[in-house]
Structures are given as C-alpha cells and as structure tokens.
Amino acid sequence: MKFIKELIEDIDVVIKNDPAATNRIEVFLLYPHIKSIIYHRMAHWLYGRKRYFMSRVVSNFARFITGIEIHPGAKIGKGLFIDHGMGVVIGETAEIGDYVLMYHGSTLGGTGKDKGKRHPTVGDHVIIGAGAKVLGNVHIAKGTKIGANAVVLKDTNPYSTVVGIPAREV
C-alpha cells in the first residue's frame, strides 16, 4: 500500500508542475521518469539487501527503456520530478531530498575514483537545470536553483541561484 501511495504522490507532483500533463493515467503510462522511479525503488530494495547484481540488472533495464540512469545505491526522497528525463545520471552515493526538479541531461556524479561518499547531496525543493553537472561530495542547499549547463563543484547557500562553469552564485 505504501508503494501505491508514493506512486500517486509522484504522479501528482508531475501534474502540479507540468502544464502538458493532463491526468494520472497519462503520466503513469507515458512519463519515463515515473518508470525510472518505480524501477529504482525495486533496485534500491535489492541493493539494500546486498543483492548487488540483481539490483544492477534492474537499473540497467530501466536505463535501457527510459534513458535515465539511477544507481541502485542512490537515496531519493519523495516527489522527484525528472522533466523530459533523457540523459539524466544519478550516482551511487547521491542523496536527493524531497520535491527536487531535474531537467534532461543533468548529472549528479563523482569527480574520479574517490572512495566513500563521492556524489552530491541535494536538499529539498532544488531545481537542477538542463545539462547541469553537480560533481563530487558537495551539498546543494535547500531551495537552490542551478542554471542550465552549470558545473557545480562546491557547496551552495540556501535559496541561492548558481550558474556558469564553474558555477558561482548570482
């Protein structure tokens, strides 16, 4: 029952934020990010039970059908909306807060072969623009807006807007 309740909430976030979304059935059947979230929840469940190979099989299948790559180890809060989705990458140790909006081509990635926590932590109500790259063990504070194609390499301040390569607050 919890799974269904979370799924309905995820769908309702899309309807609230996407003027092109007309009803729950349409969003459920046609929006790739909803499929990727469903598969991620299955893969994450397997990953948490040390079924690493099967979790990667599920996540690779999801990537194949949606174009969205989410590592099974990533922690995702409620209400994530990946608008258009294609090319989004979310790394293994990434943590995403509630009601985050990510646009196509954005990445929550690492900077190399570091050990331990090597991907970003994203706070609640963050917007990550199309093509933006957030790299390394950085903290993106609550309410931050990251501009399209920005490359974020350091922590942000709450409710700030960051743009550029490397990203800086404006």
Side-chain angles (χ1 to χ4, degrees):
M1 195 61 166
K2 179 183 174 191
F3 175 81
I4 301 296
K5 185 177 180 180
E6 289 173 345
L7 179 60
I8 290 170
E9 183 172 4
D10 290 334
I11 291 169
D12 287 345
V13 166
V14 175
I15 291 172
K16 178 182 175 191
N17 290 299
D18 186 354
T22 58
N23 61 65
R24 286 178 173 163
I25 297 296
E26 174 193 30
V27 172
F28 176 72
L29 293 175
L30 302 177
Y31 277 61
H33 100 273
I34 292 294
K35 293 174 186 68
S36 70
I37 295 295
I38 291 168
Y39 284 117
H40 173 71
R41 288 185 181 140
M42 290 188 285
H44 188 71
W45 185 87
L46 289 165
Y47 189 85
R49 281 142 189 85
K50 300 186 187 314
R51 306 286 193 254
Y52 301 122
F53 180 78
M54 283 308 300
S55 69
R56 294 298 297 266
V57 167
V58 171
S59 69
N60 274 267
F61 177 74
R63 180 182 63 178
F64 176 75
I65 66 167
T66 67
I68 299 169
E69 181 173 347
I70 306 174
H71 191 283
K75 297 175 183 169
I76 297 177
K78 61 184 175 183
L80 172 64
F81 180 20
I82 304 173
D83 199 4
H84 297 286
M86 186 60 74
V88 166
V89 177
I90 300 172
E92 178 182 19
T93 62
E95 299 176 37
I96 301 174
D98 296 335
Y99 306 107
V100 170
L101 171 58
M102 294 179 73
Y103 285 96
H104 58 282
S106 57
T107 299
L108 301 178
T111 57
K113 295 190 177 200
D114 300 329
K115 301 289 184 194
K117 177 82 167 101
R118 60 192 186 283
H119 297 99
T121 299
V122 178
D124 298 341
H125 303 282
V126 168
I127 298 172
I128 301 172
K133 310 301 179 216
V134 184
L135 304 174
N137 183 13
V138 297
H139 182 265
I140 306 304
K142 180 178 185 174
T144 298
K145 295 177 184 174
I146 299 171
N149 295 313
V151 178
V152 182
L153 301 171
K154 61 182 184 176
D155 295 353
T156 66
N157 294 312
Y159 301 100
S160 62
T161 299
V162 295
V163 298
I165 303 172
R168 64 194 180 292
E169 190 171 330
V170 294

